Amino acid sequence: MSIEHHPTDSMLAAFAAGTLDHGQHIAIATHLVSCPQCRTFTRSMEQVGGAVLTSLLPAAMSNDALAKVEARLNKPMRPATMAETAPTVPEAEVPGLPKFLRRYQFGNWKWIAPSVHLQPIVLPYDSDTRVFLLKSGPGTRMLQHTHTGIEMTCVLSGAFSQDGSHYGPGDFDLGDDTVDHLPVVDPGQDCVCLVAMQGDLRLHGLIGRMVQPFVRV
Amino acid sequence: MPSENEANSDTVQWGGLISAIAQHQDRAAFAALFEHFAPRIKAFMQRSGASEANAEELAQETMLAVWRKAALFDPQSTGAAGWIFTIARNLRIDYHRRESRGGMVEASDVEIEFLIDDSPQPDSILATSQSEDRVRSALTKLSDDQMRVVELSFFEEKAHAEIAEILEIPLGTVKSRLRLAMTRLRNLLGELS
């Protein structure tokens, strides 16, 4: 099944520019795993970055800058840290995640509402976005709700329908405070999504807010 | 922006220098790359909010990484400037993280966050030597205003509100202009591929 719902071009550009919040970077990266078309555009935007870099008015370097760097050319690099860490979440368990994310610490699944569970992902860097996996049972219906901040969702497995559109693996959805959501999970299979939710919510507040919107059909 | 022809010769020249470093640790090639790119990377870092001293250090670190990673540069799939941009971008992210966490973050961590595929090779559709030229010629077709918002979007530490202030236009106009510029860019890239 092909991907029908993509991040906006501006979001992909911000990804390539490296200006996204880390949690949102993860949500876009998750979409890119499944979407060659958006990967291509993102890579083109990196070339645009090169063009922007080239077009900038040069800022004079200090006189000994080149000599300082030349003195370090043959020194060995510091070893990588994260790259050496073994994955904590195998591909078979959760398909569709970016490789780097599999090395992060995943919390325990928590019960949120009947047939709805949430697994927080521990981000190694400060972010005002919370990232978690949300697993909803077949036929689960979310009551209409709005967001206080931006919420990015990428489907990993299963599918849901929302406002007459169908969302399957790789599909991306952006919610903000202007959007009313009314997603309904397809019958027959759990739907697992990666969600990046902006906002400085305490865990208690998050759970409280999450419990309310979910009911089982 | 340089004219298209200049840009093309630039591409070949800079890419060739990076390859010379990869093949025989060519220090003269490195010095030439340094002279051209280091001051621009420094400007890029300053525009992103780094102090003069930090921008200087980040430019030096970026050029050091260019030397060390030269063997990974693939002129068939990326332009020299675009490749150096990604190194600078990753170091900028690393710098912001170190600022907020106190020196515990490695740049190599940022790099893998941009590696989406298991294979290090870019997708075949872009794996053409034209990719950078294609992007450059698409950019020349944007209006000056559109190019400015595209440019500013690379410095998003500045919020869109600040862009609005710089360009002296309403915030809504910035957002719609950015959206339009991106749509036009995507169409242009599609036409040229």
Side-chain angles (χ1 to χ4, degrees):
Chain A
M1 199 168 59
S2 69
I3 296 174
E4 284 175 31
H5 305 279
H6 304 270
T8 64
D9 292 342
S10 317
M11 274 181 233
L12 294 170
F15 178 90
T19 55
L20 282 182
D21 169 85
H22 190 55
Q24 297 183 341
H25 176 97
I26 290 169
I28 302 285
T30 304
H31 172 75
L32 292 177
V33 168
S34 315
C35 188
Q37 186 192 334
C38 288
R39 281 205 298 273
T40 301
F41 182 72
T42 306
R43 295 234 160 80
S44 295
M45 287 310 296
E46 289 178 343
Q47 301 304 314
V48 173
V52 168
L53 183 66
T54 308
S55 72
L56 289 178
L57 197 66
M61 295 290 286
S62 64
N63 289 334
D64 60 348
L66 177 59
K68 268 167 132 175
V69 175
E70 279 176 335
R72 296 169 64 199
L73 291 185
N74 292 329
K75 297 210 174 116
M77 269 197 276
R78 286 176 301 175
T81 48
M82 210 62 164
E84 304 298 320
T85 318
T88 52
V89 180
E91 175 78 32
E93 208 173 294
V94 188
L97 291 180
K99 214 175 174 186
F100 72 85
L101 194 60
R102 296 185 184 281
R103 298 193 171 90
Y104 288 8
Q105 289 303 313
F106 284 57
N108 293 323
W109 282 102
K110 292 170 186 167
W111 182 91
I112 295 297
S115 86
V116 180
H117 293 80
L118 178 155
Q119 183 178 35
I121 301 175
V122 183
L123 303 188
Y125 317 108
D126 288 343
S127 170
D128 64 356
T129 305
R130 280 156 204 285
V131 182
F132 52 87
L133 302 182
L134 190 68
K135 181 160 66 182
S136 312
T140 306
R141 170 191 289 267
M142 260 170 109
L143 279 183
Q144 210 145 15
H145 70 287
T146 56
H147 307 285
T148 54
I150 287 175
E151 180 187 274
M152 295 180 174
T153 302
C154 187
V155 182
L156 298 173
S157 58
F160 65 85
S161 295
Q162 174 175 277
D163 305 330
S165 295
H166 196 246
Y167 292 74
D171 274 322
F172 182 91
D173 181 54
L174 177 75
D176 60 25
D177 54 7
T178 63
V179 180
D180 277 349
H181 277 309
L182 188 57
V184 181
V185 177
D186 281 13
Q189 197 191 345
D190 281 346
C191 178
V192 180
C193 295
L194 179 131
V195 182
M197 187 186 268
Q198 206 182 40
D200 190 22
L201 297 164
R202 294 202 176 87
L203 194 61
H204 174 77
L206 177 64
I207 300 291
R209 212 167 64 110
M210 298 292 294
V211 171
Q212 217 178 1
F214 288 98
V215 292
R216 176 80 190 226
V217 172
Chain B
M1 296 285 301
S3 81
E4 214 174 310
N5 283 340
E6 279 170 21
N8 287 350
S9 62
D10 273 1
T11 306
V12 174
Q13 187 195 342
W14 305 126
L17 292 177
I18 298 172
S19 300
I21 294 172
Q23 282 154 22
H24 42 268
Q25 283 85 52
D26 188 329
R27 289 193 175 225
F30 181 72
L33 277 170
F34 191 96
E35 195 189 350
H36 181 76
F37 281 103
R40 289 172 169 83
I41 298 163
K42 183 174 176 178
F44 174 77
M45 296 300 178
Q46 284 186 282
R47 284 276 294 275
S48 306
S51 69
E52 201 268 338
N54 285 334
E56 166 92 21
E57 190 196 329
L58 284 165
Q60 291 184 19
E61 292 298 324
T62 302
M63 291 312 298
L64 186 63
V66 166
W67 171 272
R68 287 172 172 168
K69 293 174 197 295
L72 300 175
F73 172 69
D74 176 10
Q76 297 301 306
S77 65
T78 179
W83 184 70
I84 293 174
F85 164 74
T86 61
I87 294 176
R89 171 197 67 192
N90 295 350
L91 282 166
R92 180 180 67 180
I93 295 171
D94 173 59
Y95 162 71
H96 286 305
R97 287 178 184 171
R98 270 187 289 133
E99 260 200 330
S100 56
R101 291 251 311 206
M104 292 304 291
V105 180
E106 296 285 343
S108 50
D109 294 347
V110 182
E111 249 159 67
I112 60 170
E113 288 161 22
F114 283 91
L115 286 181
I116 302 302
D117 305 297
D118 282 352
S119 99
Q121 294 300 316
D123 302 287
S124 57
I125 186 167
L126 194 74
T128 66
S129 54
Q130 284 90 38
S131 68
E132 190 177 36
D133 297 343
R134 208 163 56 88
V135 169
R136 280 179 185 279
S137 43
L139 287 176
T140 59
K141 294 190 174 71
L142 291 180
S143 73
D144 286 352
D145 280 350
Q146 285 174 333
M147 188 57 210
R148 285 202 73 186
V149 281
V150 169
E151 260 182 46
L152 285 166
S153 71
F154 278 83
F155 305 99
E156 243 278 281
E157 321 305 320
K158 296 174 180 293
H160 285 180
E162 240 176 288
I163 301 180
E165 215 168 281
I166 293 167
L167 297 182
E168 294 177 344
I169 49 178
L171 181 61
T173 312
V174 173
K175 287 185 174 166
S176 58
R177 242 185 231 181
L178 185 57
R179 209 162 38 235
L180 280 172
M182 286 302 163
T183 305
R184 180 152 158 72
L185 193 53
R186 188 191 271 271
N187 290 341
L188 287 166
L189 289 168
E191 279 167 26
L192 293 164
S193 63

